[in-house]
Amino acid sequence: MRIGVIALQGDFREHLELLALLGWQGVAVKEPSHLVGLDGLVFPGGESTTQCILSEASGLRQPLATEVRSGLPVLGTCAGLIMLARTIIGGRADQWSYEVLDVTVMRNGFGRQVRSFEADIAVRGLETPMRAIFIRAPVITQVGEKVETLASVRYQFVDGASREVPVVVAGGSIIATSFHPEVSRDPRLHELAFTR
Ligand code: GLN
C-alpha cells in the first residue's frame, strides 16, 4: 500500500509515522510529481488557511482537485476535514476547499485553543473506543444525505448548550475526522479509510 500525505504544513510527519506502523509506504506529497502511483491520500491537521496558500504555491491545488474527485480513498483530519468540506463557516475571505465531502464545517467551532479537549469515542466499524484529541477543531454543523456519521460526541458549547456533534464522517471514498488520530497514534481509521 502506497499512501500520499499532503506535506505542505501541519502534522504530516505523524501521519507518515502511523502509515509506517501499518507497514505501508507513506509518501510526503510536496509537489504534483509526488502524486504518481498512490493508493490513497491523507490531508493532515494544521492550519487550513496556510494549507490553501501553500497548495496554490506548490502547484498542487489543481492536480489534487482531480485526485480527490477520482474516487481515490482519502482520509482528512481536522484542517484536512476543512480542506475537503463542501462548505466552510468562519473561513478567511480568500479561503477555498476541494468541496468533495458534503458537510458544512465551522472553523474553530469548539472554541479557542484553551477549549481543546480529549474524549474516548465509539466509532462505527471499530471494536473498542478511540481516544480523540480535539485541537482548535472544526465543528461539523451539517451532514449531507449521502454522508454517514461514524462517530459523534456530546459537547457543551460556551453558550451552555449541549449538543451531539458528528466527529467522524464518511462520504463516497472519503473519511474525515474533526480530531487527530495521528496524534493519539491510533491507526485504525487509516486502516478503515484505505482498506474498506
Ligand atoms: N483551526 C484549524 C483550521 O482552521 C484546524 C486545527 C487543526 O487542524 N488542529 O485550519
Side-chain angles (χ1 to χ4, degrees):
M1 192 77 81
R2 196 176 139 87
I3 307 293
V5 182
I6 312 304
L8 299 173
Q9 187 272 342
D11 67 347
F12 56 89
R13 290 177 197 84
E14 284 78 356
H15 279 287
L16 290 167
E17 280 168 26
L18 266 200
L19 294 169
L21 217 102
L22 288 164
W24 296 346
Q25 189 188 354
V27 177
V29 174
K30 293 179 189 284
E31 53 172 81
S33 68
H34 299 157
L35 291 170
V36 179
L38 299 178
D39 300 307
L41 267 176
V42 175
F43 285 73
E47 186 52 55
S48 54
T49 51
T50 311
Q51 292 181 5
C52 282
I53 293 165
L54 296 177
S55 303
E56 305 253 28
S58 61
L60 274 169
R61 179 175 177 179
Q62 291 315 325
L64 275 179
T66 306
E67 291 294 334
V68 293
R69 286 188 200 121
S70 71
L72 189 74
V74 170
L75 175 67
T77 66
C78 207
L81 158 67
I82 299 172
M83 293 304 294
L84 298 165
R86 169 95 51 220
T87 311
I88 303 171
I89 301 173
R92 249 174 49 165
D94 58 349
Q95 187 161 2
W96 51 269
S97 66
Y98 291 104
E99 300 179 24
V100 281
L101 181 63
D102 190 12
V103 296
T104 301
V105 293
M106 187 190 286
R107 287 186 67 215
N108 305 322
F110 286 106
R112 303 176 66 86
Q113 183 75 35
V114 288
R115 303 263 303 169
S116 293
F117 66 102
E118 299 189 21
D120 288 316
I121 58 162
V123 181
R124 189 178 302 170
L126 302 186
E127 278 177 15
T128 55
M130 181 167 220
R131 188 75 179 159
I133 302 175
F134 296 84
I135 306 166
R136 297 180 58 240
V139 167
I140 298 171
T141 58
Q142 242 175 332
V143 174
E145 240 170 61
K146 292 185 182 143
V147 174
E148 195 186 352
T149 297
L150 301 183
S152 52
V153 77
R154 180 155 280 283
Y155 186 75
Q156 184 161 19
F157 289 87
V158 261
D159 62 2
S162 167
R163 271 190 290 124
E164 197 74 33
V165 183
V167 291
V168 183
V169 288
S173 59
I174 300 171
I175 291 184
T177 68
S178 45
F179 58 89
H180 292 280
E182 72 281 13
V183 173
S184 56
R185 294 181 156 273
D186 189 329
R188 290 179 293 170
L189 282 177
H190 292 67
E191 263 177 321
L192 194 66
F194 301 120
T195 61
R196 69 191 168 127

